[in-house]
Amino acid sequence: QAQFVESGGGLVQPGGSLRLSCAASTSIFSIYEMGWFRQAPGKQRELVAAIFRSGTKYYADFVKGRFTISRDNAKNTVSLQMNSLKPEDTAVYYCNARPIVSMTWGDDWGQGTQVTVSS
C-alpha cells in the first residue's frame, strides 16, 4: 500500500483559509480515487472530498462550496484548498487512496495534519 504524508495544517481564524497537501510515495496517475478525510475528537472519521481518475470530484455537503480538491500527477500530490473555514472544521485531516474500484480505502492511516479553526 502506498504511504501518504499530509502537511499544511495549522491554526486559523474563522473565515480563513488553508491549503493541505498530500504527498504520495508512489505514482497517483492511475489511482482510481484519492480522498481527504477528517476526524475530530470523539467523532468518526469522515470523508471530506475525493477526486477520481476521470477528474470527477466529490464533496461532502458540509464543505461543498468552500473546499476544492485537486491533484498534480507530475508531483504525486493531492491538495485540499480550504476556504471560509468554520470552527466545526477543526479536526485531523488525512488522505488515502482506492487504487482500483474493487478495493476499499487503505487501512494504513498516516499521521495526518491538524487543522484548528479558533474563534
Side-chain angles (χ1 to χ4, degrees):
Q1 183 177 332
Q3 291 184 294
F4 304 98
V5 179
E6 302 91 344
S7 62
L11 176 64
V12 66
Q13 293 182 327
S17 298
L18 286 172
R19 185 175 179 87
L20 308 184
S21 294
C22 171
S25 62
T26 62
S27 173
I28 65 169
F29 180 79
S30 61
I31 288 179
Y32 171 68
E33 183 181 8
M34 296 288 300
W36 280 98
F37 295 76
R38 71 186 187 187
Q39 187 170 30
K43 299 178 68 175
Q44 291 286 117
R45 183 182 290 113
E46 59 187 356
L47 179 64
V48 175
I51 183 167
F52 295 83
R53 186 174 57 236
S54 65
T56 299
K57 298 174 181 180
Y58 161 83
Y59 297 100
D61 287 342
F62 49 82
V63 304
K64 195 170 297 181
R66 300 188 296 122
F67 292 8
T68 303
I69 189 170
S70 61
R71 69 161 114 82
D72 187 333
N73 290 332
K75 297 181 178 180
N76 294 324
T77 59
V78 179
S79 297
L80 185 68
Q81 179 65 46
M82 310 166 68
N83 299 325
S84 302
L85 284 162
K86 305 174 180 179
E88 51 264 44
D89 294 320
T90 296
V92 178
Y93 284 70
Y94 305 87
C95 63
N96 211 329
R98 297 174 62 206
I100 58 177
V101 69
S102 60
M103 297 177 64
T104 188
W105 300 100
D107 61 1
D108 189 13
W109 298 93
Q111 187 67 42
T113 185
Q114 176 71 50
V115 172
T116 302
V117 185
S118 66
S119 59

